């Protein structure tokens, strides 16, 4: 689900190079696709693994943060997850694994706390409550299908994600930290997020929650701005004031950019996943060249 988006496209390419057959669930019909309507009507086609990446882009600057958009953000995640979970439960031959990608917004922003996969959260604002509802919607009864949740950080990649909105001002030498710049910035390279999902899909011992973040957990927003400027060979000293971010995104949504969490991928590393881009400098060089 959500296979035509930024993460889904990267994951599909990786899975195909590893010899897997991939079928996308999308709004539009097409080759190697089924629609959400077909899925709800006819059930799950025979498959080994189901993955859901579907969800309306929360940080779309073209959309005002009003009740209508909040509802879209919620239903685009919960409805698709409910639908896939129901199809898995009702399948005559259920898949071996069910993988959902949510977000590190589950953990409360803090300048001092460190969070791993067992840390509490999910109950303090719109976004943390969203992750709680989203993960609850995915839960299956019984043990016949292995269940994995990947809580993703900010995804860095060439054709989309956070970098897409930032490149132009940074290329012009107008980039810089957002707000104070002291807030933590949990990030992951798109290759590693796809890699973790592939690892979760292929390794039978992987289950439960994994943090989809790079192991460089002390990165702050100011570090990120400096590293992106360095990767582009441009200065990155012009801070974006908090008031501007709040004006563009709305006060509640601006929290996602103005505050952050120190998130460590303890269980992800313990499962044996090896990162391609553990360091920010190399990750950004790959993304901008």
């Amino acid at each position: 689900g959500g296979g035509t988006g930024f993460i889904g496209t990267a994951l599909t390419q990786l899975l195909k190079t590893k010899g897997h057959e991939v079928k996308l669930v999308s709004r539009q019909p097409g080759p190697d696709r089924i629609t959400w309507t077909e899925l709800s009507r006819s059930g799950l086609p025979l498959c080994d693994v189901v993955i859901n990446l579907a969800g309306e882009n929360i940080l779309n600057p073209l959309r005002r943060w009003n009740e209508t958009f909040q509802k879209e953000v919620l239903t685009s995640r919960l409805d698709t997850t409910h639908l896939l979970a129901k199809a898995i439960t009702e399948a005559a031959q259920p898949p071996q694994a069910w993988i959902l990608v949510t977000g590190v917004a589950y953990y409360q922003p803090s300048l001092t706390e460190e969070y791993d996969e067992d840390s509490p959260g999910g109950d303090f604002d719109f976004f943390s409550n969203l992750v709680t509802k989203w993960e609850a919607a995915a839960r299956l009864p019984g043990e016949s299908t292995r269940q994995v949740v990947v809580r993703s950080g900010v995804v860095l990649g060439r054709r989309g994600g956070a970098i897409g909105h930032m490149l132009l001002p940074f290329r012009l030498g107008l980039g810089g930290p957002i707000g104070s710049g002291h807030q933590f910035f949990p990030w992951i390279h798109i290759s590693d997020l796809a890699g973790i999902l592939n690892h979760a899909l292929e390794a039978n011992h992987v289950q439960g929650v994994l943090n989809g973040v790079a192991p460089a957990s002390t990165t702050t927003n100011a570090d990120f701005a400096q590293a992106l400027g360095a990767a582009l060979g441009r200065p990155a000293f012009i801070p974006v004031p908090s008031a501007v971010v709040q004006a563009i995104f709305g006060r509640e949504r601006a929290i996602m950019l103005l505050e952050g969490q120190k998130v460590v991928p303890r269980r992800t590393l313990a499962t044996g996943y090896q990162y391609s881009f553990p360091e920010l400098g190399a990750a950004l060089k790959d993304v901008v060249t």
Side-chain angles (χ1 to χ4, degrees), residues 22-59:
V22 181
K23 194 181 277 279
L24 307 182
V25 194
S26 70
R27 292 189 196 100
Q28 306 302 324
D32 293 325
R33 288 188 187 193
I34 60 167
T35 64
W36 292 101
T37 311
E38 282 176 272
L39 179 72
S40 64
R41 199 174 51 231
S42 312
L44 194 67
L46 194 62
C47 61
D48 296 310
V49 179
V50 177
I51 302 172
N52 195 23
L53 307 164
E56 189 65 44
N57 177 14
I58 292 173
L59 288 175

Side-chain angles (χ1 to χ4, degrees), residues 20-21 45-50 93-98 145-146 201:
H20 297 294
E21 285 176 43
L46 194 62
C47 61
D48 296 310
V49 179
V50 177
Q93 206 172 324
Q96 292 163 30
W98 161 223
T145 297
R146 190 165 51 84
L201 172 153

